[in-house]
Amino acid sequence: MAYTNIASPYMTGNWGPANYNFNRRSWTLFNQDNPNFSKAQFKVALQQLQQAGVLDSSRGWANEKLKAEVLRGTPGIASDQNPLGQYQGTGGNFGLKSYNAAKAAGWKPQDIVDEIQSGRSGMFMPEGATAQYYKDIKVDDDAMWAERIADIPTAAELMAEMPQPKIRAGQDYATTGRSAQGMRIKKGTKFAEGGKRGTKGYFGRGAKFTGNSTPAMNIKGGGGGSASQASNTLNTV
């Protein structure tokens, strides 16, 4: 079956004798029937018919008036101003077959849509191509997020990279830098248990207050310095 496309019905042989396959009237009739199509789409369709070898070789492919008023200066099938023109479908637009062909040639889905939206080709993407585009974008987005998530360090990795605090052994930070070792409780007569003295006598089971005056604690670090008094504390040195 011979190749046909959206411009095929407007060949001059279909509506009267002519010396060319297409003339200025071809465009007039095409434009009347397809008002939303551009000159670029029409030109590409003519070039596709020419490349397919279905034009009458005994006649020219387009007359001078058509070339001057419609075709000349219009981006065609090989123009860098219409880079997706070579994938134009037989219906004059950019369907799923065109979309897949462009992708196979190295076009990225988003670049395809950006070019279509630029309006240079005049084409639009029907439902099939648009649906495939959204599928492709989702796959690309999923891959992007998977890669980004993979780059996020885990809690274990973050902990491994944290510097360890340097604490000197035996340091008691609650006593302003001085060791609690060596703190001695001064023996007194305020607490007693059966006449015993020492820590157990003061703080062991059965300890009781036996004096009349208020006990006091003197906390004094080594190496000089005045003692501080605090009510209801034990005397220490």
Side-chain angles (χ1 to χ4, degrees):
M1 182 176 179
Y3 173 84
T4 60
N5 65 21
I6 196 171
S8 297
Y10 304 97
M11 296 174 63
T12 55
N14 293 322
W15 42 264
N19 295 325
Y20 298 91
N21 287 278
F22 294 94
N23 59 22
R24 181 62 177 80
R25 189 182 178 196
S26 298
W27 163 250
T28 300
L29 295 175
F30 176 88
N31 189 236
Q32 288 175 352
D33 294 341
N34 306 280
N36 294 324
F37 280 65
S38 67
K39 291 180 179 180
Q41 288 167 285
F42 180 70
K43 180 175 181 177
V44 169
L46 266 58
Q47 291 174 319
Q48 290 172 332
L49 290 169
Q50 186 181 34
Q51 290 179 351
V54 296
L55 299 183
D56 185 348
S57 58
S58 65
R59 298 184 292 169
W61 78 284
N63 72 351
E64 186 58 34
K65 190 173 184 179
L66 176 62
K67 290 179 181 178
E69 297 182 11
V70 179
L71 304 180
R72 193 168 293 134
T74 298
I77 201 169
S79 172
D80 58 2
Q81 296 301 309
N82 185 16
L84 291 178
Q86 60 185 306
Y87 307 110
Q88 180 173 299
T90 56
N93 280 303
F94 201 82
L96 181 58
K97 184 176 180 181
S98 300
Y99 179 84
N100 288 334
K103 279 202 310 178
W107 280 77
K108 295 181 179 180
Q110 191 58 53
D111 292 339
I112 291 173
V113 170
D114 290 345
E115 176 58 32
I116 292 295
Q117 290 180 337
S118 75
R120 296 193 296 181
S121 68
M123 295 185 287
F124 78 96
M125 288 174 56
E127 183 179 352
T130 301
Q132 186 60 50
Y133 159 72
Y134 282 119
K135 290 180 182 178
D136 292 340
I137 289 299
K138 184 179 185 305
V139 170
D140 290 344
D141 285 347
D142 289 346
M144 176 192 70
W145 284 113
E147 182 179 354
R148 290 185 179 182
I149 291 173
D151 289 338
I152 299 175
T154 64
E157 291 171 336
L158 289 173
M159 292 296 292
E161 293 297 323
M162 292 180 65
Q164 298 298 317
K166 297 180 180 180
I167 301 177
R168 290 178 293 176
Q171 188 72 24
D172 186 349
Y173 291 96
T175 56
T176 64
R178 300 187 181 280
S179 174
Q181 296 179 356
M183 179 182 290
R184 293 176 294 135
I185 301 176
K186 184 178 181 179
K187 296 180 179 180
T189 60
K190 299 299 179 183
F191 290 86
E193 181 186 14
K196 295 180 181 180
R197 294 292 183 264
T199 304
K200 184 175 182 181
Y202 289 124
F203 302 108
R205 176 176 296 180
K208 61 183 178 179
F209 181 66
T210 60
N212 295 320
S213 62
T214 302
M217 176 187 287
N218 293 330
I219 300 176
K220 180 171 69 174
S226 62
S228 62
Q229 295 290 336
S231 298
N232 291 322
T233 57
L234 296 176
N235 290 319
T236 63
V237 294

